[in-house]
Amino acid sequence: MRVTVRLFARLRDIAGTGELERDAPDGATVGAVWASLVAEYPALSPYEKSISCAVNADYSRFTSAVADGDEIAFLPPVSGG
Amino acid sequence: MVPLTAITMAPLDTEALVGALDTTGIGAVTTFIGLVRGHNLGRRVLHLEYEAYEALAVKGLDRIVSESLEKWPSVRVAIHHRIGRMEIGEASVAIAAASPHRADAFAASRYAIERIKQIVPIWKHEYFEGGDVWIEGATADPDNAEARAQALKIACA
């Protein structure tokens, strides 16, 4: 299956893009998608403990399964206001 | 019609925000406006650029409005957050709270800004004299009851 990955702020800077398409095996979790990104961009690794994730614009968890066509977002600590 | 919550590139209009609230039976309206500050952590700030995950950020603002209603059933809250480039002194966020009595309006307004800083996916990119840095605050987790309790505690202090 194919998913869209969205990256924001510093994560986007590290990857050099805010949006990527990725293949993922059936039954893959959000965490597996993150791991594949870290393999490609090792500088993302320190963010593992501090990021949040979202699936189709709803907050989610690393253990959640993803489906074909999902938009997976990884969010560094927020700083609005 | 002005929506109760919005993420917008346009300069914020506080009067329009207040106008978005139903003021039937209201005795007090508070407005909070967050401005771009010229100094941060000893650095002279030149300007800021705000970025958002808009689809989720609007849901975050809606959630804060709902949470406020849960806590203060008679208070109506509206929140607009601006994104994009902002100069020193420009408004980045505006919150309006209308209530029969002032205490709840002040409290709900304070609660809203604390929660924005906790759970809404918006990021500040600070350009200062000598460099630039992404500001990273709280790991966003709307289900973190401890964070929510902390925001309530600050609001009701």
Side-chain angles (χ1 to χ4, degrees):
Chain A
M1 63 177 169
R2 203 144 173 84
V3 297
T4 302
V5 175
R6 303 274 312 264
L7 298 171
F8 294 89
R10 177 94 180 99
L11 305 186
R12 179 169 51 74
D13 283 356
I14 290 171
T17 177
E19 191 168 326
L20 313 90
E21 298 284 322
R22 279 291 170 279
D23 286 316
D26 283 346
T29 60
V30 172
V33 174
W34 171 256
S36 78
L37 277 183
V38 170
E40 195 171 338
Y41 306 102
L44 291 175
S45 164
Y47 277 90
E48 179 139 348
K49 297 282 177 238
S50 61
I51 55 171
S52 308
C53 60
V55 175
N56 300 329
D58 276 315
Y59 278 111
S60 186
R61 300 281 171 194
F62 266 46
T63 49
S64 300
V66 300
D68 188 45
D70 276 355
E71 176 175 287
I72 319 296
F74 294 106
L75 316 168
V78 301
S79 55
Chain B
M1 191 178 148
V2 179
L4 286 180
T5 57
I7 303 292
T8 175
M9 297 284 291
L12 298 176
D13 179 345
T14 311
E15 271 187 56
L17 187 69
V18 171
L21 295 171
D22 173 10
T23 47
T24 313
I26 287 309
V29 174
T30 62
T31 54
F32 169 84
I33 304 170
L35 304 180
V36 175
R37 200 171 45 226
H39 287 85
N40 187 33
L41 303 170
R43 303 185 286 255
R44 197 170 85 83
V45 178
L46 303 175
H47 72 272
L48 295 183
E49 280 183 25
Y50 282 81
E51 171 178 331
Y53 182 17
E54 285 191 51
L56 184 56
V58 171
K59 286 182 190 173
L61 296 181
D62 288 342
R63 182 186 177 110
I64 293 168
V65 168
S66 304
E67 287 180 359
S68 300
L69 226 95
E70 244 175 70
K71 174 67 185 169
W72 300 279
S74 59
V75 180
R76 296 122 203 209
V77 176
I79 311 168
H80 288 186
H81 202 301
R82 189 178 170 193
I83 56 171
R85 177 175 170 142
M86 272 162 262
E87 309 302 323
I88 308 305
E90 286 195 278
S92 56
V93 60
I95 300 167
S99 163
H101 302 285
R102 66 186 181 280
D104 287 352
F106 278 118
S109 177
R110 183 68 196 267
Y111 178 76
I113 186 65
E114 298 303 323
R115 287 297 272 163
I116 287 168
K117 289 172 178 291
Q118 291 176 347
I119 67 164
V120 180
I122 297 176
W123 299 271
K124 283 183 187 84
H125 196 172
E126 181 186 295
Y127 291 82
F128 58 90
E129 244 175 16
D132 66 277
V133 64
W134 281 103
I135 308 296
E136 294 177 346
T139 295
D141 179 2
D143 297 327
N144 182 342
E146 206 176 307
R148 190 175 169 184
Q150 178 65 20
L152 265 180
K153 193 175 159 196
I154 292 169
C156 300

